[in-house]
Amino acid sequence: MISFVKEDNTIQYLYSKIGKHHIDAGTGNQDSVYIGKICDETYCLVVSDGVSSCKWAKTGSEATIDTIRTLSTKIYHNEISIDDGDGIKRFIVRDWKNHFDESWNDYGTTINFVIWSRGIVLAGQIGDGLLIGVTDGENFLMTDMDENYSVETYALAEVVLKSSIQLTVRKNVNNLIAIAMTDGIGKEMNMESIYEFQDYFVDLIKNRDEETRNKEVELWMSQLNQKNDDDKTIALMVLEGKT
């Protein structure tokens, strides 16, 4: 799946492809991704990776999209304070759990997201994957991965430690770049040059023609497929001059 939208000083790009592991298992792509405008002056980006060992992982990852869209709306209407980190964490966990009657461990998923609403940016992460971006020239980075990468990770499930939910808040943001990716891509990134990658990827998506853009991304993903057989999802959101 590839999608590209450029309008109203915004760019929305996403790429998602099933990995060999899930092709062989016949389970489908367990990643879910969303980028879009939620309401006036409010956008969000969500990338989730259903935990492969969970019975209904895809359903779990899909539910995060609805949760973050709802959170975006509540932030816009001042129903949840951007400064109430604990309240935001409780809302994410409770709202996601409310999508299912019980057996939350069957729906385990990681999540990376960014919300922009009237100049406020909220970025969040539970579990692995990689989230990078720039707000008015100031970089941010969120990752639960390191050189000692493990198949074990935090996730939305029956028990979610408050300390496992990372949040970053930026205010009075006029320009935003955010890139989120699941661990099928993120764990292969060179963290020492991550912001050079960020600049290159934004230029590729923003300024190159469709054929060049698609050919280069497909080549990159083919190379990553030689390194791991995970699903691979990446999303980019660019907002310019929004306040």
Side-chain angles (χ1 to χ4, degrees):
M1 174 176 60
I2 299 177
S3 175
F4 174 78
V5 177
K6 185 176 183 180
E7 60 185 11
D8 299 330
N9 295 324
T10 72
I11 294 173
Q12 303 165 26
Y13 173 84
L14 64 86
Y15 174 99
S16 187
K17 190 170 185 177
I18 187 173
K20 183 178 183 300
H21 174 71
H22 289 139
I23 292 176
D24 293 344
T27 56
N29 189 340
Q30 303 299 290
D31 294 349
S32 294
V33 55
Y34 174 84
I35 315 171
K37 186 174 183 178
I38 303 303
C39 53
D40 289 343
E41 302 179 277
T42 302
Y43 296 78
C44 79
L45 173 157
V46 190
V47 170
S48 295
D49 183 355
V51 178
S52 295
S53 59
C54 297
K55 184 178 181 180
W56 305 112
K58 179 63 174 181
T59 303
S61 69
E62 289 176 335
T64 66
I65 292 173
D66 185 61
T67 290
I68 299 305
R69 285 172 57 93
T70 302
L71 175 61
S72 302
T73 301
K74 288 185 174 295
I75 289 173
Y76 173 78
H77 290 292
N78 296 314
E79 296 175 11
I80 294 181
S81 170
I82 198 71
D83 296 315
D84 184 9
D86 286 349
I88 291 171
K89 293 177 181 181
R90 285 193 297 270
F91 174 83
I92 292 172
V93 175
R94 290 173 180 173
D95 186 86
W96 178 82
K97 284 186 172 183
N98 283 340
H99 286 77
F100 322 109
D101 293 333
E102 55 185 7
S103 302
W104 296 292
N105 286 338
D106 287 339
Y107 300 90
T109 184
T110 67
I111 179 174
N112 291 266
F113 71 89
V114 178
I115 297 168
W116 181 93
S117 182
R118 294 184 294 186
I120 292 173
V121 170
L122 172 67
Q125 181 183 74
I126 303 174
D128 55 27
L130 182 61
L131 181 59
I132 57 175
V134 187
T135 56
D136 292 337
E138 184 179 358
N139 290 319
F140 66 87
L141 166 68
M142 304 180 80
T143 179
D144 189 40
M145 300 179 297
D146 56 31
E147 294 179 355
N148 299 314
Y149 177 77
S150 169
V151 295
E152 296 182 356
T153 183
Y154 291 113
L156 277 169
E158 183 171 353
V159 177
V160 184
L161 298 176
K162 185 169 68 174
S163 61
S164 73
I165 307 176
Q166 300 184 58
L167 298 176
T168 295
V169 174
R170 301 274 175 89
K171 298 182 179 180
N172 302 313
V173 174
N174 190 43
N175 299 288
L176 167 69
I177 295 170
I179 304 173
M181 62 195 84
T182 53
D183 68 321
I185 300 174
K187 67 185 176 186
E188 306 296 348
M189 300 298 294
N190 181 352
M191 299 307 294
E192 293 182 357
S193 59
I194 193 63
Y195 293 118
E196 286 82 354
F197 161 78
Q198 175 181 268
D199 293 343
Y200 178 80
F201 189 71
V202 171
D203 178 68
L204 173 66
I205 303 305
K206 182 178 180 180
N207 298 321
R208 308 296 178 86
D209 62 86
E210 181 179 5
E211 182 179 359
T212 300
R213 181 172 63 236
N214 292 346
K215 182 182 295 185
E216 187 149 346
V217 172
E218 287 287 2
L219 175 60
W220 177 34
M221 294 303 157
S222 295
Q223 293 169 341
L224 290 179
N225 284 337
Q226 303 303 312
K227 297 183 177 182
N228 71 75
D229 58 5
D230 292 343
D231 300 333
K232 294 172 177 65
T233 298
I234 187 167
L236 165 70
M237 181 169 67
V238 179
L239 306 178
E240 297 178 324
K242 286 298 181 181
T243 60

